[in-house]
Amino acid sequence: MTHDALHQVRTFEHPGAGRQRAKPTPKGRQVDPTALHEIEQLLGDRPLRRDLLIEHLHLIQDSYKQISAAHLAALADIMKLAFAEVFETATFYAHFDVVKEGDPHVPMLTIRVCDSLTCAMMGAEQLLQELQRGAGPEVRVVRAPCVGLCDVAPVAEVGHRYVFHATAPEVLETAARGETHPVIPPYVDYDAYVKDGGYKLLNDLRAGRIGKDDILKALDDSSLRGLGGAGFPTGRKWRAVLGEPGPRLMVVNGDEGEPGTFKDRFYLLRDLHRFLEGMLIGAHIVDATDVYIYIRDEYPAVLQVLPLELAKLPKGGPNLHIRRGAGAYICGEESALLESIEGKRGMPRHKPPYPFQVGLFGRPTLINNIETLFWVRDIVEKGAGWWNSHSRNDRKGLRSYSVSGRVKNPGVKLAPAGLTIRELIDEYCGGMADGHAFYAYLPGGASGGILPATMDDIPLDFGTLEKYGCFIGSAAVVVLSDKDQVKDAARNLMRFFEDESCGQCTPCRVGTQKAAQLMEQPIWNRDLLNELSQTMRDASICGLGQAASNPLTCVIKYFPDEFLPKEAAE
């Protein structure tokens, strides 16, 4: 075909080709100039790296008490990211109030009422209803999962200020007075810590007066294990990371979102530098160039104190970064934690490879819990023998039990590993609360199962509870009395897991939802629930789905009267 003939064919097929085209209309979401200016002013000269997306979302949320679609689009434009990528990250986290186009704006003040197990036992539902009736239109009242204050339940959060043993009048008065900032309790600051011998061990390590092998041997001899829940031997983990080619990183997991757990908050707000010294020792051992400290957003006082105390540390050592969670329980899982630090949704990664091989930003990464690092200095200075001298029922070491529920004196109880629930209640908690008789207990938080009071002679430690379908985890102990229904407790926990599932895998996403629905029935379908539980355990990607059914299966196994019809139970 000649050029002229081809031109004729094209002209015939496109009769309007020679006409002047209409002015093109921009496609996709347009950036509002006002919103763009506001975000530019807010970010200032802050870096625009992808891993800082969540930090920048916090800036917007803190400044405007919500995140509008216009601000999301402006942030995406400035950071050179797709709007969908920014939107899906912002909507994944509960503490970001994303307002879509056409939706009403969020009130400037939010009151959150914890409705997790211990708070629910102490009247959170009634508190929530009273606050919703009493708050004006300028105040939003919402439910919140565990905020790590189970020992002072029920708890409400006014802005960023917590009200302990909350009553509706007290919460509303706090809001009316505009008291929305966290209360900072007395704590051991840098100067006081150094005066008491703090950082001497770290300085000796950096100066070569004590060797890395000496530190690792002390950890091995003490058998210190990860105290975030998994219980992996600490010395072995440090050696594994050190065995990988550099550059290496370190991550501190301060996202203790398991209902019933509050020990990390306890130590962070009392003796922060003891943890920081252990952290810096670990970073030196594995030659980490950078350390990322991830703190859950539910700990505003910690997030206020931590930068101030880090600034007092002498120059030298690794680069230190604080990363702020945004209300996602799943980020306590180590690989989901890494995704969140990278500025993404907290979706657990498939393993292998493991984080010590391919972790944060693809580098070998040491991940430790706060309490694990808190004990490093004492173990090395006092010796492994000191640690192991604390024992009960043939178990060794110390455990920080977060005790809440129907005991007279709840709180963090530092006690020998291996003591029984009866010993814990009687010796460390002043017995049961007045008018309550011991009925059941959770030995390891929301996912650690539920046992009856008749099984009160089991040592509370790693490896002692698994044969009963339970585990110690982070040693979050919730005590139930004869005034409580274990069936109700299991429902509360399953609703928590349903809400906190990241949604990545079907067994967990659908399984927790289906289980919660089935558990609302007056008579439980035991066979179907057992089958569903087994599927979740076998096929879920991470520990959330694998362990979510533990309370459910424990109720079926140990408390049959609670899910049988009344006449059958009799």
Side-chain angles (χ1 to χ4, degrees):
M1 184 178 290
T2 65
H3 180 272
D4 290 341
L6 180 62
H7 175 72
Q8 290 174 0
V9 170
R10 285 177 172 169
T11 302
F12 175 77
E13 291 178 344
H14 305 282
R19 300 173 188 168
Q20 185 176 3
R21 292 177 179 269
K23 189 173 182 179
T25 301
K27 296 180 180 180
R29 183 177 296 274
Q30 303 306 299
V31 178
D32 178 74
T34 301
L36 183 63
H37 175 73
E38 289 171 344
I39 298 302
E40 287 176 339
Q41 292 294 111
L42 192 61
L43 294 181
D45 58 357
R46 290 178 173 86
L48 300 177
R49 301 192 313 270
R50 175 66 177 79
D51 64 286
L52 292 174
L53 173 58
I54 293 174
E55 294 298 305
H56 295 340
L57 289 170
H58 273 302
L59 280 174
I60 302 173
Q61 177 71 42
D62 290 345
S63 300
Y64 294 94
K65 311 305 178 186
Q66 61 184 1
I67 304 177
S68 68
H71 282 156
L72 278 182
L75 181 63
D77 183 73
I78 291 172
M79 296 188 71
K80 308 302 181 187
L81 297 172
F83 176 83
E85 192 173 3
V86 176
F87 179 82
E88 71 177 9
T89 300
T91 53
F92 180 85
Y93 296 93
H95 286 192
F96 294 141
D97 297 312
V98 178
V99 179
K100 301 175 185 178
E101 293 178 353
D103 288 352
H105 283 202
V106 175
M108 292 299 288
L109 179 62
T110 294
I111 297 175
R112 289 184 165 88
V113 178
C114 175
D115 68 351
S116 288
L117 180 56
T118 305
C119 281
M121 291 165 58
M122 301 299 177
E125 190 63 36
Q126 181 179 347
L127 174 63
L128 178 71
Q129 293 174 6
E130 291 176 359
L131 288 174
Q132 288 174 336
R133 289 194 298 266
E138 70 283 358
V139 178
R140 181 179 63 150
V141 180
V142 298
R143 297 177 183 272
C146 186
V147 296
L149 288 163
C150 315
D151 52 333
V152 289
V155 175
E157 184 183 18
V158 181
H160 290 301
R161 174 167 296 204
Y162 286 111
V163 180
F164 306 154
H165 304 296
T167 63
E170 183 181 7
V171 173
L172 293 175
E173 288 171 9
T174 300
R177 292 193 297 265
E179 296 174 351
T180 60
H181 297 292
V183 175
I184 309 299
Y187 67 93
V188 180
D189 65 5
Y190 175 77
D191 292 334
Y193 183 72
V194 171
K195 185 177 180 180
D196 193 37
Y199 292 112
K200 180 181 183 302
L201 178 60
L202 174 66
N203 293 333
D204 287 345
L205 177 64
R206 288 176 171 175
R209 290 186 290 271
I210 186 172
K212 292 183 178 182
D213 289 339
D214 298 322
I215 302 287
L216 291 169
K217 185 177 186 304
L219 297 179
D220 291 339
D221 291 346
S222 69
S223 299
L224 178 66
R225 301 174 68 164
L227 299 174
F232 194 84
T234 303
R236 205 162 96 199
K237 177 184 283 191
W238 290 18
R239 293 180 194 276
V241 176
L242 187 57
E244 295 294 318
R248 307 179 194 90
L249 300 174
M250 182 177 183
V251 167
V252 176
N253 188 345
D255 194 63
E256 57 170 359
E258 182 85 359
T261 308
F262 47 90
K263 61 183 179 61
D264 289 352
R265 171 187 60 82
F266 176 85
Y267 289 120
L268 284 170
L269 288 177
R270 282 163 176 76
D271 202 356
L272 172 68
H273 284 278
R274 193 171 300 268
F275 143 67
L276 290 177
E277 183 169 10
M279 176 192 77
L280 293 172
I281 288 171
H284 185 87
I285 294 290
V286 302
D287 297 322
T289 61
D290 295 77
V291 178
Y292 291 80
I293 310 170
Y294 190 96
I295 302 293
R296 64 186 310 221
D297 200 34
E298 290 83 351
Y299 291 171
V302 176
L303 287 164
Q304 186 166 319
V305 169
L306 185 57
L308 300 177
E309 294 303 314
L310 287 181
K312 299 176 183 178
L313 295 177
K315 302 299 181 183
N319 300 310
L320 304 178
H321 313 268
I322 299 173
R323 287 291 185 269
R324 179 179 168 189
Y329 165 73
I330 189 62
C331 291
E333 195 276 336
E334 61 178 7
S335 62
L337 170 69
L338 299 179
E339 290 288 296
S340 187
I341 293 174
E342 291 179 3
K344 308 170 189 173
R345 294 176 294 169
M347 296 287 198
R349 299 174 180 176
H350 291 275
K351 302 171 186 177
Y354 296 95
F356 80 89
Q357 300 165 313
V358 181
L360 188 64
F361 307 124
R363 297 182 181 181
T365 303
L366 172 63
I367 305 177
N368 275 133
N369 165 261
I370 283 168
E371 193 200 352
T372 306
L373 298 170
F374 182 89
W375 292 115
V376 169
R377 175 192 165 190
D378 283 336
I379 287 174
V380 176
E381 289 186 344
K382 298 178 181 178
W386 164 81
W387 179 260
N388 291 324
S389 68
H390 301 88
S391 63
R392 188 72 66 93
N393 299 315
D394 297 323
R395 315 298 295 187
K396 296 181 178 180
L398 288 167
R399 291 304 301 265
S400 300
Y401 297 94
S402 303
V403 186
S404 64
R406 307 297 189 179
V407 294
K408 191 167 292 183
N409 300 314
V412 175
K413 310 299 179 180
L414 183 61
L419 84 174
T420 66
I421 183 62
R422 181 63 70 179
E423 292 168 336
L424 181 62
I425 293 172
D426 292 344
E427 297 178 28
Y428 291 86
C429 301
M432 294 293 294
D434 293 339
H436 292 267
F438 183 31
Y439 178 59
Y441 66 106
L442 283 68
S447 55
I450 308 176
L451 293 173
T454 53
M455 300 175 65
D456 63 354
D457 58 349
I458 305 169
L460 299 178
D461 198 13
F462 295 114
T464 61
L465 293 153
E466 282 75 4
K467 64 182 178 181
Y468 305 105
C470 301
F471 56 80
I472 187 68
S474 60
V477 179
V478 183
V479 179
L480 282 66
S481 78
D482 55 341
K483 302 289 194 299
D484 303 306
Q485 291 286 323
V486 173
K487 190 175 178 181
D488 292 340
R491 284 197 193 101
N492 178 285
L493 299 173
M494 188 58 71
R495 287 194 295 267
F496 169 81
F497 290 125
E498 177 191 10
D499 186 62
E500 294 296 332
S501 172
C502 75
Q504 180 178 189
C505 67
T506 302
C508 177
R509 182 184 67 250
V510 178
T512 53
Q513 181 185 47
K514 184 65 174 177
Q517 292 172 350
L518 291 170
M519 293 167 73
E520 291 297 331
Q521 301 302 314
I523 302 175
W524 289 6
N525 187 328
R526 179 171 54 184
D527 293 338
L528 183 55
L529 283 169
N530 277 328
E531 182 181 358
L532 180 60
S533 299
Q534 191 63 51
T535 300
M536 292 166 62
R537 282 194 294 269
D538 292 344
S540 296
I541 290 175
C542 81
L544 191 155
Q546 293 164 8
S549 63
N550 285 344
L552 157 64
T553 55
C554 283
V555 172
I556 293 175
K557 184 176 181 179
Y558 300 116
F559 303 90
D561 291 352
E562 289 218 8
F563 67 88
L564 291 175
K566 183 178 180 182
E567 57 273 15
E570 295 175 348

